Amino acid sequence: MSNKYTVKKIEKKKDYLSISWNDNFKSKFHFLWLRDNCPTAIHPTANMRVFNILNVSKNIFPKKINIKKNNLNIDWSEGNHKSNFRLKWLRDHCYTEINKQKYKSPYKFWNGNLKKNFSKIILNHDKIIKNDKHLKKWLELLHSYGFAIVKNSPTKKKSGFRVLNRISHHRETFFGTPFEVINIPKPNNTAYTAQALRNHTDLPYFEYAPGYQFLHCLVNNASGGNSSVVDGFAVANYLKKNEKDVYKLLTRTYVKFKDTDYTQKSIRVLHSPIITLTRENDFNDVRFSMAAMGTIDVDPKKMKRFYDAYQYFASLLQNNKFKIDFRLEAGDIFCFNNRRVLHGRTEFDPNSGNRHLQGYYIERDEIIARLNYFNKLKI
Ligand code: OGA
Ligand code: ZN
């Protein structure tokens, strides 16, 4: 039987060990890499590297190697040091293999059709509080769809902390936590009016815009004030496939986002493309807010083409093919990846009733790290 954790052949090359495994896979393990990852290099409880890479030279090599049972033993040329690796650990961390793996995006794109399967993204507040299985499902939805609604939560002010803290701590901003989405006199932000908010991401002028936003609906009995949501990655993906020039412009043109809130003694400015990508060429984030867009200062040679692309993207973000309209009810927590999914609302009439949401931010890191924990990710 071919066993991927047993060794068929081991050879010492110029600067690495070549291992042929019983399943015929061939790995390279460079000498410095091996020394750096000697099990003694890691603190037994802190699980952090205590070995200093400067304590060996770049010419270090194994003087002696042998395989005994399920272990590889190495006597090093420097420091009178011996290492003992478990073969399973070596194979599981084989970077020859890891680098051959094809990247798989964690994102599931969605469009207006998700409305027909809305129950898919609905969760129950108390179940998340009581049961890790429901918490995990919430995290999975947030990571893959970037959108979920937690129903039947309490409507007491600040009670959103309880379910948020099942994940981790919140991300603070100058708006405070929670921030009050309510119409106020002399508003310092259009969110604090009764006006419509076109689909947008929050705080795009931060270098690191908040990863997720939870909008907790405490009361919503004014007329109007319906919500909308759109998957920015799905729209970006549509452009990538169908409108290559628009896609190129939106991923490469640096535009200005800004915040000059009169209650702050800060002026925030950031230049970034509207769509950014990861090293795998997957989507990293979408920043889009007509409200927070500064005066655009791109090269005049590009301005006309940029505006065409920007306007086209804006039109798709409001298009029924992609967006979903729905109404928040008291006790709903509208949760979304704020660096992917755009949200908006229609105008409401503050004289017809009350509307009060409380907003929280939490980082994308916290969602992913908790999900990794539940998935028992081996690293
Ligand atoms: C916001 C916002 C949406 C709403 O506060 O950032 O977009 O439904 N609010 O009021
Ligand atoms: Zn918003």
Side-chain angles (χ1 to χ4, degrees), residues 103-107 109 276-284:
Y103 171 77
K104 194 169 172 288
S105 174
Y107 305 124
F109 302 138
T276 66
L277 306 175
T278 66
R279 69 181 173 134
E280 295 93 356
N281 236 8
D282 200 349
F283 300 114
N284 175 47

Side-chain angles (χ1 to χ4, degrees), residues 179 191 197 200-202 213 215 336 338 343-344 361:
F179 53 91
L197 300 175
H200 64 281
T201 59
D202 272 19
Q213 182 170 175
L215 283 173
F336 51 92
N338 180 57
H343 63 289
Y361 297 117

Side-chain angles (χ1 to χ4, degrees), residues 255-323:
V255 293
K256 183 161 66 180
F257 298 92
K258 63 99 185 155
D259 182 61
T260 44
D261 173 334
Y262 78 84
T263 65
Q264 306 297 315
K265 291 194 168 72
S266 307
I267 297 173
R268 298 171 193 277
V269 189
L270 181 85
H271 282 84
S272 168
I274 288 174
I275 302 166
T276 66
L277 306 175
T278 66
R279 69 181 173 134
E280 295 93 356
N281 236 8
D282 200 349
F283 300 114
N284 175 47
D285 61 13
V286 169
R287 288 170 198 268
F288 191 94
S289 170
M290 291 188 213
M293 185 71 116
T295 309
I296 298 174
D297 48 12
V298 306
D299 190 318
K301 290 203 275 304
K302 218 175 171 184
M303 189 63 91
K304 162 94 175 73
R305 281 183 296 134
F306 170 74
Y307 257 104
D308 287 350
Y310 173 52
Q311 197 176 38
Y312 185 58
F313 190 46
S315 75
L316 294 182
L317 295 171
Q318 300 291 339
N319 190 309
N320 285 329
K321 182 174 144 90
F322 290 106
K323 77 162 168 137

